[in-house]
Amino acid sequence: MTAVSSTVNESARKGSVLNFNVSASDIKKTVDRLISEAKETYDAVAAQTNPTFDNVVVPLATRENKRGADYSVITFLQNVSTDKDVRDASTEAEEKLEAFEIESRMREDLYKVVHAVYSNKDEMDRLGDEDRRLVEKMELGFQQSGLGLSSDDRSRLGEIRKQLSELGIKFSRNVNENDGRETFTRDELAGLPDSFFDGRETELVDGVEKYIVTTKYPDMVPVMQLARSEKTRRKLLVTNEQRCPENVELMQEAIALRLEAARLLGYKTHAEFVLVEKMAKTPKAVMDFEHDLRGKLNELARGELKEYEAAKRADKEAAGEEFDGLFIWDFRYYANLIKERKHSVSEEEVKQYLPMKEVTRGILDIYQNMLSLRFAKVENPPVWHPDVEMYEVWEATDDQFVGHFYLDLYPRDAKYNHAAVWPIRSGYANEDGSHEYPVAAMVANFPKATSSAPALLTHTDAITLLHELGHVFHGICSLTKWGRFHGTQTEGDFVEAPSQMLENWGWEPSVLSQFAVHYKTGEPIPADLIKRMVAAKNEGAGLFNLRQVFFGLFDMAIHDTADGKVDAKAAYNRLREDVSLFNNGDADMWGMATFGHMMGGYDAGYYGYLWSEVFSADMYASRFLKDGVDSPKTGLDYRREILRPGGSRDASVSLERFLGRKPNNKAFLRSIGLESSE
């Protein structure tokens, strides 16, 4: 990788560097300033007597542009700061700012002038495509905020939106700050490699030394994959699924409030309301997609299930125990076991060739080459934690600055405990013709180095890194006039497609051989191992994808209800058993209480993960496989037609321009082990 070190001062000259070193009092002052500035803008716009695009829409959108980074920084810190006072202030800031925005979207005087512009045919006809789309989205936003409702109904809708915002923030905070923990003896963790125990804390329990194991990903995943003891796997999984009991009620409240809001706006269900702006458009389209895919996957999955059952029966027989079925804590273990037996692929063997430092370098190289970019790591960067790395992004062929991104990749207490990307600052056009530089931050929880080895990734971790960096560069490479259309702000059922497509690079032998090297010897990963990994790619694809179907069907079960009479906990447990084909067991569990997607913006949208896989598979097979994964021309086409427009045009338009035709599902069905129907 061409990683030219730069100083912070140089970086600041090329693009404004954000300040994350803020105190709780700084956050409160920023909130007050943002609200004061917004009120001033809104009052001036609402007072316009001759509403035009220039004196109504431009000031509103400019204010959106400019407040974006300040808002993002102070609300982002609740997920990453080590200072509890800062996290608390960040959470409070989000609640206060969201409440203000909800209130502002209910202002009749603002809607009146925006609607006047929207209804002025001459004014609309003179606008360019992105400006016209901006007005249309503003109009729809006000309508969905209830501006066509009576005063009482509008007031109630505002109350509901504020309550939903508060519920979502509380739900997320509970998940972040309440990791589960259990203790096990070394024997109870038989099957885990020595590296799992390096540096691991222990405690005495009734005079016996036991290892502390948490429900964080770097602990949870290897135990569920490798622990031979069913009792151990069950214990840790149940602990994870009994976290955050208070969130059960929070989700139930949200379901009821979402339905009430949808009904006020004239929709039968919350899903119907949400899907208006998605590619799918209707709940029926989503359900047809999920049920059709479920039917195709079932035959494949039942064959896999027979293999898992035979393996567990053999284990039980060897232990002199009766076989009592396959349970949810068996899924990862037997999936991994069958893969190892059939393809001689061990996650532990693969990890030896995936040291974090080399994988990160190699994956950044992939993005540099494909997108014709150049990255420069910033020395001594102004960041929120010493683990965080900061990079500048430049055009590869000239001295043009593009943006910044941050990588916060390792777990710590009270940190966001999954993997995600925050678009900290959107790019947009300034009034003077210059362009504001985008900033994105990737947060993850990959294993840290131990006393005996550097940080080593599983292949799944490497795929996650590829995926999340796909979101980073969707933001970095986007170039839109207005911040609200920048980067990943596309239709919700398309937003994952670019990142999902980029996961394919992690399965390409020519790509893996560039960065997968043994952490001790530096020897490249053997070609035979890559061959076995690729052969094992679709092992268990039927059951894995049924699990995704389950999540999507649960989402629709709680959000496509016309009467609201749904028990989320019961629906989750019933559908998981019915769809994913594994028994829940007899423990009282509430796994939906940590299903953050349902309270974090993916409500009535989880189907989008599989829906967008259709597009990602088509893009990859039809262009990159055909032209070569290292084709700079295809990479630039992808950057120009998929990444650059962001949400400034319909995703269907971007797809057709990149593919040269309408998308289809043939490549998708092949990619998950199903034959496509010609």
Side-chain angles (χ1 to χ4, degrees), residues 109-392:
D109 54 354
L110 277 180
Y111 178 51
K112 184 178 179 182
V113 291
V114 169
H115 186 68
V117 177
Y118 174 76
S119 302
N120 186 333
K121 185 176 184 302
D122 290 340
E123 185 77 354
M124 292 294 283
D125 285 347
R126 77 175 181 84
L127 300 178
D129 290 344
E130 188 174 341
D131 288 346
R132 189 181 309 111
R133 187 178 181 88
L134 177 65
V135 181
E136 291 167 352
K137 293 295 184 184
M138 281 189 178
E139 170 74 13
L140 180 61
F142 277 113
Q143 287 180 5
Q144 293 192 329
S145 293
L147 269 300
L149 302 178
S150 69
S151 177
D152 286 348
D153 284 349
R154 191 166 63 249
S155 176
R156 175 57 186 153
L157 185 64
E159 291 172 8
I160 290 171
R161 294 275 166 82
K162 287 179 183 177
Q163 285 177 268
L164 284 169
S165 173
E166 291 167 4
L167 288 171
I169 292 166
K170 287 177 185 174
F171 188 100
S172 176
R173 183 169 186 175
N174 289 338
V175 174
N176 287 350
E177 296 191 352
N178 290 281
D179 290 311
R181 77 192 285 278
E182 286 292 348
T183 57
F184 300 101
T185 64
R186 183 73 180 245
D187 285 346
E188 289 171 330
L189 292 168
L192 276 295
D194 290 343
S195 59
F196 183 80
F197 302 94
D198 283 349
R200 183 166 297 279
E201 291 184 29
T202 62
E203 67 180 30
L204 286 177
V205 180
D206 297 329
V208 178
E209 184 182 46
K210 293 192 174 186
Y211 289 91
I212 297 171
V213 179
T214 73
T215 55
K216 287 183 181 293
Y217 271 28
D219 285 5
M220 184 89 187
V221 173
V223 170
M224 299 313 296
Q225 282 186 333
L226 299 171
R228 297 191 194 107
S229 167
E230 181 178 1
K231 186 177 178 181
T232 294
R233 299 195 306 272
R234 180 189 183 281
K235 186 176 181 182
L236 189 60
L237 184 135
V238 170
T239 295
N240 188 50
E241 299 249 334
Q242 291 181 338
R243 290 166 58 208
C244 308
E246 63 275 22
N247 279 359
V248 175
E249 185 56 36
L250 297 185
M251 186 179 286
Q252 285 293 159
E253 288 181 48
I255 292 166
L257 289 169
R258 287 165 179 163
L259 176 58
E260 185 183 350
R263 283 175 167 174
L264 284 172
L265 291 166
Y267 298 93
K268 293 178 184 176
T269 70
H270 177 65
E272 192 177 278
F273 162 73
V274 168
L275 291 167
V276 166
E277 289 199 85
K278 303 287 179 69
M279 296 180 78
K281 300 301 181 191
T282 67
K284 183 181 184 301
V286 172
M287 294 302 286
D288 286 349
F289 172 75
E290 295 281 20
H291 286 309
D292 178 62
L293 186 55
R294 181 184 179 186
K296 287 183 167 72
L297 289 168
N298 264 333
E299 185 177 348
L300 189 65
R302 291 194 184 281
E304 295 165 356
L305 207 64
K306 286 179 181 177
E307 291 184 287
Y308 291 18
E309 184 176 312
K312 186 173 182 182
R313 281 185 184 276
D315 286 348
K316 287 292 186 181
E317 187 176 335
E321 300 172 5
E322 284 190 24
F323 174 77
D324 54 355
L326 284 167
F327 296 90
I328 52 177
W329 51 82
D330 292 325
F331 172 59
R332 285 184 183 270
Y333 178 74
Y334 285 102
N336 186 63
L337 188 71
I338 296 297
K339 184 172 75 172
E340 285 191 17
R341 288 179 179 176
K342 289 176 70 173
H343 303 282
S344 299
V345 175
S346 157
E347 282 280 15
E348 194 59 28
E349 179 188 8
V350 175
K351 273 174 63 176
Q352 312 307 306
Y353 293 94
L354 295 175
M356 183 76 197
K357 184 177 179 181
E358 292 303 312
V359 174
T360 304
R361 176 199 60 76
I363 288 177
L364 290 178
D365 266 353
I366 290 168
Y367 280 104
Q368 285 187 124
N369 297 332
M370 180 175 66
L371 301 173
S372 296
L373 296 171
R374 175 169 54 89
F375 307 148
K377 187 175 180 181
V378 178
E379 300 299 328
N380 302 312
V383 291
W384 54 90
H385 189 273
D387 284 349
V388 180
E389 295 180 345
M390 176 183 178
Y391 291 84
E392 295 176 344

Side-chain angles (χ1 to χ4, degrees), residues 467 471 492-501 602 608-609 612 616:
H467 177 103
H471 288 311
D493 45 5
F494 175 74
V495 70
E496 296 294 333
S499 286
Q500 288 166 334
M501 188 203 72
Y602 276 77
Y609 278 101
S612 57
S616 69

